[in-house]
Amino acid sequence: MSFNSKKRKKNTGRQDRIRADRGILSRTGVIMVLCGIVAFLPVAGMLLNLMVFRHEEYAQRALNNQTRTTQVTASRGSIYDRNMNVLAVSSSVENVFLDPKELSDNKEDINLIANTLGGILDLEPDWIREQAADSTMRYKMLARKQPQEVTDQIRDFINENDIIGIHMEPDSKRIYPNGSLAAQVIGFTNASNQGAEGIESYYNSYLEGTAGKVITTKGNYETEMPYSYEKYYEASDGDDIVLTIDSTVQYYLEKNMQSAVEKYDVQNGAFGIVMDVKTGEILAMCTLGSYDPNNYLEIGDSRVQAELDELKKAMVLEKEGTPAYTAAEKTYEDALVAARLSQWRNRVVSDGYEPGSTFKIITMAAAIEEGTTTVNDTFYCGGSEMFSGRPQPLHCWQHSGHGSETTFQALQNSCNLALAHIGLRLGGEKFYQYVKDFGLLETTGVGMSGESSGYFFPESTLVPGALGYEAAMIAASFGQTFEVTPLQLVRALSAVVNGGYLMQPYVVSQVLDADGNVVEEHEPTVVRQVISEETSAIMRDMILSVVEEGTAKNAKIAGYSIGGKTGTAEKTGKVDENGNEVDDKIVSFVGIAPMDDPEYIVLVALDTPSTSTGIYISGGVMAAPTVRGVFEDILPYLGVKRDLTDVDMSSVEVTMPDVTDMTEKEAAAALKDESLTYELVGEGTRVTGQLPAPGTALPGNSQVILYMGEEVPTDLVIVPDFTGMTISQANQAAANAGLYVLAKGADADSGYVTATEQSVAPGTTVVRGTTIHVGFTDHTAQD
């Protein structure tokens, strides 16, 4: 082999090794790159996640770490009644807080601060020391919503002692100037200024406005930055709400209901409503027992509070930490929560109840409209009757029976047997359709929180031939074994008397912005016509006759045409704490006035009057006089004119004119204008004195005394006890005592109409000539 050949082979081997080394290096590089890529992938994924997918989240966190946001509270809108009287308004208050770092940096006397603020704010000084001790923080809240008289004391303390580290920030507090008036309608706001019940809750989005804010930069431990950024976002005030509620009407409704609750020892509260039958506007709505929305956590009903106090006392008597203590504590806390929820609840829109005989108006109107019953029909009530499909006899509330009666008399007498026949003649399918058309199977849409629709029989039950058809139809025809809300019933009965038009009830008339511009406005809305004008006219006459001649005589008011229907319903299916069915009753009355051109409807229901009073429990005896009292107060206020044509003026209150220094002829004319007669004492030619005094209210047809030169007696007299007297007996007793009696309520002078209440307590000493208002009750009104 030549030298050159060997040299070529040697070079070739070297090149192969170089190529091999390069291949290894290339593969190694590729592997290292791949390993690097694989190793970097999680980091890249994390960066992608942080910088792209979660960018907004971490940007917000960074912003929160670098800035402090202070909320600027918007001024909450006010709530007004229909006459622009304030029902709810926000007042400026302040929150008190500490800056512990400032206190520490300035070496403030923490003991002095804790003891002084503890006294002003009614807080434990030790707790204030704990808040001040956390010197890494810049914001520790001590007390919210403090009035000016409190914050002024704190400012004086700060200025007198040159303290740095106690601060106050503006806030607002809701004020309800009328206390418990219309509490369930208005509702209240919670500690965060959010509406929690009633209109405050339902219209919260309108009332609350939009809060503003101030954004500033901050350093570690909440410290301020030397060169701080600040941005201000202005708050937008809330809208005002104008209600259809009339504060005066609301007051009169609540006053008369509260009086009834006390007089009849009503155990489970009461509910009532006043509505315009033509428009659906709600003028008043009340649930008793009530509460003060200024202190909504406190129990307003003293009886309920006493029961809670007993439960708390039982808890305290147990040793803390024992099972007995824990059980007693739970019992107390559960009862407290239940009591609060109960007093906040608006029963007029939220609770169903058996309407009882007040529902007979609906059955009658449907039957008259369909022609299955006419005003010329007659019925017979023997006190009880067996009906096909019903295993036991049906009893009328009048156990001896009403005998033969016309259609008008059937409603006047509130006869269960007659209404059962009327309902069966109408038939279940038509009956169900009218119940639906009168809006009793749906919520009314009144625009309030928590509205329910009650419950009724399934439509399939009211088909002839269905199991239980007869029993269901009979019970339903006079308002039992189903439930409606008070608002549903009032709306339906309004349609019966207003020409047949079912109206949309509403409690908010306007929403106004901060400048007074109308944002929303609610107008009267007809949902549908349920019965004809002709049927409505017949029903008005029939409903009027119930007060004039039937079970509702106790609702009479001289000079006003009042119509209405009584109701007494057993609370079927209700049990006590031991599971036993209770014998409780709800007594009610629906009144309408004036019946010649209906304007207002009033419903009052009393839940479980006590048997301990000795007064017969019925709507006619208890609820009808209550509604009469409401009408006596509100009709003059609302401008409803009194027609005194052909009215016995002895039941009308007139005013004693001033006839001093008049001749007998002049005085006689002045007295005649007020429907008064007179007796002369003395021989003078002019009146020198009179009894009663000028301006005194007294019954028409009363005889007054004119003194012609003689001295007017100034002695005091004692008010007799008129309880149990007839009208004539009460008048005689009053005359003997030198007093006058103004009779109210039932006006028949008979043994079954007696005095049950008087405006001045027996035994009271009063001026001679005083008028005593005496309420007379027809005790035959037992439905």
Side-chain angles (χ1 to χ4, degrees):
M1 181 180 295
S2 66
F3 176 77
N4 290 332
S5 296
K6 290 180 179 180
K7 187 175 182 180
R8 283 196 297 270
K9 287 182 178 180
K10 186 175 181 180
N11 289 337
T12 301
R14 185 183 299 116
Q15 291 171 355
D16 290 341
R17 285 195 298 275
I18 290 171
R19 282 196 295 269
D21 291 343
R22 286 176 178 171
I24 292 170
L25 288 172
S26 297
R27 287 194 295 272
T28 302
V30 170
I31 292 170
M32 291 181 68
V33 169
L34 289 173
C35 289
I37 291 172
V38 171
F40 185 72
L41 280 175
V43 178
M46 183 178 294
L47 290 173
L48 180 67
N49 182 44
L50 294 176
M51 300 176 67
V52 178
F53 297 117
R54 299 181 68 182
H55 170 76
E56 293 297 331
E57 176 187 345
Y58 283 97
Q60 186 62 48
R61 287 189 181 185
L63 184 64
N64 291 341
N65 287 333
Q66 299 164 16
T67 61
R68 176 189 293 119
T69 299
T70 303
Q71 182 168 299
V72 179
T73 305
S75 178
R76 189 174 179 87
S78 299
I79 301 176
Y80 299 94
D81 80 345
R82 67 189 300 116
N83 299 312
M84 298 306 291
N85 296 309
V86 176
L87 299 177
V89 66
S90 291
S91 172
S92 294
V93 291
E94 292 180 282
N95 300 326
V96 182
F97 68 94
L98 298 179
D99 184 331
K101 189 173 189 308
E102 279 188 341
L103 294 174
S104 176
D105 290 347
N106 291 279
K107 297 181 172 53
E108 300 292 355
D109 187 340
I110 301 301
N111 285 327
L112 174 65
I113 291 171
N115 291 328
T116 304
L117 292 185
I120 296 174
L121 297 172
D122 193 22
L123 296 173
E124 288 294 331
D126 286 343
W127 180 80
I128 297 177
R129 290 188 189 93
E130 289 178 13
Q131 307 310 303
D134 190 358
S135 59
T136 63
M137 300 301 294
R138 302 298 302 266
Y139 188 90
K140 286 286 186 174
M141 179 63 68
L142 292 186
R144 297 183 181 276
K145 301 184 185 300
Q146 297 302 303
Q148 183 177 345
E149 56 266 26
V150 172
T151 56
D152 282 349
Q153 293 181 57
I154 296 174
R155 284 191 175 86
D156 290 343
F157 170 64
I158 292 171
N159 294 332
E160 289 169 3
N161 296 275
D162 294 324
I163 294 174
I164 299 174
I166 303 175
H167 301 280
M168 282 160 282
E169 61 184 7
D171 200 351
S172 64
K173 181 180 181 180
R174 204 62 164 164
I175 303 295
Y176 303 92
N178 297 312
S180 63
L181 188 78
Q184 288 83 10
V185 176
I186 301 166
F188 58 86
T189 59
N190 58 25
S192 301
N193 290 324
Q194 295 293 304
E197 291 287 341
I199 294 298
E200 292 276 30
S201 173
Y202 196 86
Y203 282 85
N204 186 66
S205 61
Y206 290 89
L207 288 161
E208 68 177 346
T210 303
K213 56 186 176 181
V214 178
I215 300 176
T216 56
T217 53
K218 65 182 180 181
N220 293 335
Y221 308 114
E222 301 288 316
T223 56
E224 296 289 340
M225 299 289 286
Y227 302 99
S228 182
Y229 159 87
E230 179 173 296
K231 187 170 182 62
Y232 177 75
Y233 295 89
E234 187 175 2
S236 177
D237 291 343
D239 296 328
D240 295 332
I241 304 293
V242 182
L243 303 183
T244 60
I245 296 293
D246 186 306
S247 295
T248 301
V249 175
Q250 181 76 30
Y251 166 76
Y252 285 136
L253 176 64
E254 293 188 16
K255 180 195 77 170
N256 284 281
M257 287 175 58
Q258 185 61 46
S259 176
V261 166
E262 295 169 2
K263 179 179 179 180
Y264 305 121
D265 192 22
V266 177
Q267 301 297 299
N268 296 324
F271 48 87
I273 182 173
V274 180
M275 191 173 86
D276 187 317
V277 303
K278 296 177 180 178
T279 66
E281 293 173 282
I282 296 170
L283 278 70
M285 185 184 287
C286 172
T287 299
L288 297 179
S290 194
Y291 69 100
D292 184 349
N294 292 295
N295 303 290
Y296 58 87
L297 293 178
E298 296 180 6
I299 303 302
D301 189 316
S302 59
R303 186 183 332 209
V304 175
Q305 183 60 58
E307 294 172 355
L308 289 169
D309 290 343
E310 289 299 316
L311 291 176
K312 190 172 185 179
K313 187 185 298 183
M315 178 188 74
V316 173
L317 291 175
E318 302 292 342
K319 185 177 180 180
E320 192 169 351
T322 64
Y325 180 89
T326 301
E329 182 181 40
K330 185 176 187 307
T331 299
Y332 167 71
E333 290 177 349
D334 288 349
L336 178 60
V337 170
R340 286 172 175 167
L341 292 175
S342 177
Q343 71 178 11
W344 300 339
R345 190 175 182 85
N346 187 341
R347 296 180 66 180
V348 176
V349 300
S350 297
D351 287 5
Y353 79 110
E354 288 192 9
S357 294
T358 56
F359 189 81
K360 292 173 180 175
I361 293 175
I362 301 295
T363 304
M364 185 69 80
I368 296 291
E369 178 71 10
E370 286 296 315
T372 57
T373 295
T374 73
V375 295
N376 299 315
D377 291 345
T378 58
F379 305 88
Y380 181 79
C381 172
S384 66
E385 183 178 341
M386 286 295 302
F387 284 82
S388 175
R390 197 173 189 274
Q392 67 276 353
L394 175 66
H395 295 278
C396 189
W397 67 268
Q398 179 74 284
H399 298 305
S400 60
H402 295 108
S404 179
E405 52 190 351
T406 65
T407 302
F408 265 64
Q409 290 170 333
L411 194 64
Q412 291 169 14
N413 297 331
S414 195
C415 179
N416 290 347
L417 301 186
L419 264 294
H421 283 289
I422 291 169
L424 289 171
R425 286 183 190 178
L426 177 63
E429 293 168 315
K430 289 181 179 177
F431 181 74
Y432 186 89
Q433 187 60 48
Y434 274 97
V435 169
K436 182 178 181 180
D437 289 346
F438 274 115
L440 298 172
L441 303 182
E442 62 191 18
T443 57
T444 68
V446 67
M448 300 187 73
S449 301
E451 185 180 12
S452 66
S453 60
Y455 66 85
F456 195 68
F457 296 98
E459 187 174 6
S460 58
T461 302
L462 298 182
V463 175
L467 182 65
Y469 166 73
E470 289 83 1
M473 268 304 305
I474 289 170
S477 67
F478 47 79
Q480 293 190 356
T481 65
F482 68 91
E483 293 187 354
V484 296
T485 67
L487 183 57
Q488 283 179 311
L489 182 65
V490 164
R491 176 169 77 148
L493 296 180
S494 295
V496 172
V497 299
N498 71 6
Y501 300 96
L502 189 72
M503 302 302 298
Q504 172 78 54
Y506 61 103
V507 73
V508 170
S509 62
Q510 289 182 323
V511 179
L512 308 176
D513 66 17
D515 297 320
N517 301 310
V518 177
V519 176
E520 284 187 13
E521 188 162 20
H522 298 157
E523 298 287 348
T525 303
V526 176
V527 178
R528 55 183 164 266
Q529 185 170 10
V530 185
I531 59 175
S532 65
E533 295 273 1
E534 293 76 16
T535 298
S536 181
I538 292 171
M539 291 306 302
R540 287 197 293 271
D541 290 340
M542 200 175 292
I543 294 168
L544 174 62
S545 74
V546 176
V547 174
E548 295 294 325
E549 305 173 52
T551 59
K553 294 186 184 76
N554 294 324
K556 282 186 178 181
I557 304 175
Y560 287 115
S561 58
I562 308 294
K565 186 70 192 73
T566 55
T568 305
E570 296 177 356
K571 297 167 71 173
T572 57
K574 306 296 183 181
V575 297
D576 60 20
E577 62 273 12
N578 299 315
N580 300 316
E581 190 163 334
V582 299
D583 188 29
D584 294 348
K585 293 181 175 66
I586 291 182
V587 300
S588 61
F589 181 72
V590 178
I592 302 161
M595 286 308 298
D596 53 347
D597 184 17
E599 293 186 58
Y600 305 106
I601 183 169
V602 177
L603 165 67
V604 167
L606 309 174
D607 190 347
T608 316
S610 173
T611 57
S612 64
T613 63
I615 301 173
Y616 188 85
I617 297 175
S618 77
V621 171
M622 295 176 167
T626 306
V627 172
R628 181 193 72 221
V630 175
F631 274 137
E632 286 175 334
D633 287 332
I634 72 171
L635 292 180
Y637 165 76
L638 292 171
V640 179
K641 292 184 178 180
R642 204 170 189 176
D643 183 4
L644 298 178
T645 306
D646 300 326
V647 170
D648 179 3
M649 292 300 295
S650 61
S651 58
V652 177
E653 193 170 67
V654 299
T655 302
M656 178 68 180
D658 186 355
V659 296
T660 306
D661 205 35
M662 290 185 183
T663 64
E664 179 185 351
K665 183 177 181 180
E666 292 169 338
L671 293 172
K672 184 178 180 180
D673 289 342
E674 295 295 330
S675 301
L676 296 172
T677 61
Y678 64 93
E679 175 188 353
L680 295 178
V681 175
E683 301 296 331
T685 58
R686 290 188 174 272
V687 178
T688 56
Q690 62 185 73
L691 194 66
T696 300
L698 71 164
N701 294 341
S702 295
Q703 185 180 69
V704 302
I705 302 175
L706 304 182
Y707 293 87
M708 314 294 284
E710 296 287 332
E711 289 292 323
V712 178
T714 57
D715 59 319
L716 301 177
V717 297
I718 297 175
V719 176
D721 185 352
F722 297 106
T723 305
M725 294 184 183
T726 64
I727 293 176
S728 58
Q729 289 170 342
N731 281 326
Q732 186 59 55
N736 293 340
L739 302 169
Y740 297 101
V741 162
L742 179 65
K744 301 169 66 177
D747 55 7
D749 192 8
S750 64
Y752 56 81
V753 175
T754 63
T756 55
E757 59 182 336
Q758 57 190 83
S759 59
V760 181
T764 304
T765 302
V766 297
V767 175
R768 182 180 292 275
T770 297
T771 296
I772 312 298
H773 291 206
V774 179
F776 289 87
T777 298
D778 181 347
H779 296 282
T780 65
Q782 298 184 356
D783 182 57

